[in-house]
Amino acid sequence: GAVVSQHPSWVICKSGTSVKIECRSLDFQATTMFWYRQFPKQSLMLMATSNEGSKATYEQGVEKDKFLINHASLTLSTLTVTSAHPEDSSFYICSARDPGKTTEAFFGQGTRLTVV
Amino acid sequence: GQNIDQPTEMTATEGAIVQINCTYQTSGFNGLFWYQQHAGEAPTFLSYNVLDGLEEKGRFSSFLSRSKGYSYLLLKELQMKDSASYLCAVVDSNYQLIWGAGTKLIIKP
């Protein structure tokens, strides 16, 4: 099956610093990637849809200047949490669709972000 | 508004059968996913239904009734490793995934 690799798996950072999370599709080209956030015991919540070569589409309530998304190539999308605060601590997951397999969405391993 | 309902938590015994229900009200329908998620890990794909009926895949089966806005995931011969959260997600008319809150399944020996 298609593989999506997300890095890092976990990160601890100080309040006020920025953190970059990478999401790569390893064996297929993903024109669209999705970024989700999941707080403990809650559902996955879509933050933004990342399109290769264009600006990301953010969901209502998600600050685009705080959560910077770059999708510079067909196999890489990055999410940068800028000026992180403790309330940004969460599980961030990326997902990509293989254009040849529209019935599945493949997920990265997820990144556990803790802001102290 | 769009809504996906699943039970919050279920408990079952090892070796038994359990059915996890999911009801949905969404703007359009382009399929329904079931995912399994172990604590601290990303979801893994279990099934996708777009037509009415039962899809069987090993110990797991998924059923869909579009007219009733209803699906269930059936797990047979439960194993301890099946303890996880099970997420129902519907693809709406804009091809966006609408997620349920997940059902935490606890398996007891």
Side-chain angles (χ1 to χ4, degrees), chain B:
Chain B
Q2 310 209 86
N3 194 47
I4 309 282
D5 286 316
Q6 308 178 234
T8 303
E9 188 173 295
M10 298 183 70
T11 302
T13 305
E14 188 177 15
I17 298 173
V18 70
Q19 177 175 311
I20 303 174
N21 296 323
C22 171
T23 57
Y24 62 90
Q25 300 94 38
T26 57
S27 57
F29 178 84
N30 283 297
L32 184 147
F33 288 94
W34 282 98
Y35 283 87
Q36 180 190 61
Q37 186 178 27
H38 287 99
E41 298 181 12
T44 55
F45 171 82
L46 290 178
S47 67
Y48 172 77
N49 293 68
V50 67
L51 299 176
D52 290 350
L54 185 68
E55 296 267 350
E56 297 186 75
K57 191 184 293 185
R59 294 190 297 116
F60 294 2
S61 302
S62 56
F63 171 84
L64 175 68
S65 170
R66 289 171 296 171
S67 61
K68 295 181 179 179
Y70 167 70
S71 173
Y72 68 72
L73 180 69
L74 190 71
L75 294 78
K76 303 176 184 176
E77 302 170 15
L78 287 170
Q79 302 175 10
M80 298 303 293
K81 67 178 182 179
D82 296 329
S83 292
S85 287
Y86 291 84
L87 301 167
C88 171
V90 172
V91 184
D92 71 4
S93 56
N94 293 318
Y95 289 92
Q96 292 223 14
L97 276 172
I98 311 300
W99 291 89
T103 299
K104 183 179 180 180
L105 178 63
I106 300 170
I107 309 296
K108 294 186 175 180

Side-chain angles (χ1 to χ4, degrees), chain A residues 36 38 41-44 46 49 59 91 93 97 102-110 112, chain B residues 33 35 37 39-45 47-48 87 91 95-97 99-102 104:
Chain A
Y36 295 88
Q38 187 178 34
K41 299 184 179 181
Q42 294 188 23
S43 178
L44 290 170
L46 180 65
T49 302
E59 295 301 299
F91 192 50
I93 307 173
R97 296 239 179 98
T102 57
T103 60
E104 291 189 47
F106 299 95
F107 289 89
Q109 301 94 320
R112 173 73 61 191
Chain B
F33 288 94
Y35 283 87
Q37 186 178 27
E41 298 181 12
T44 55
F45 171 82
S47 67
Y48 172 77
L87 301 167
V91 184
Y95 289 92
Q96 292 223 14
L97 276 172
W99 291 89
K104 183 179 180 180

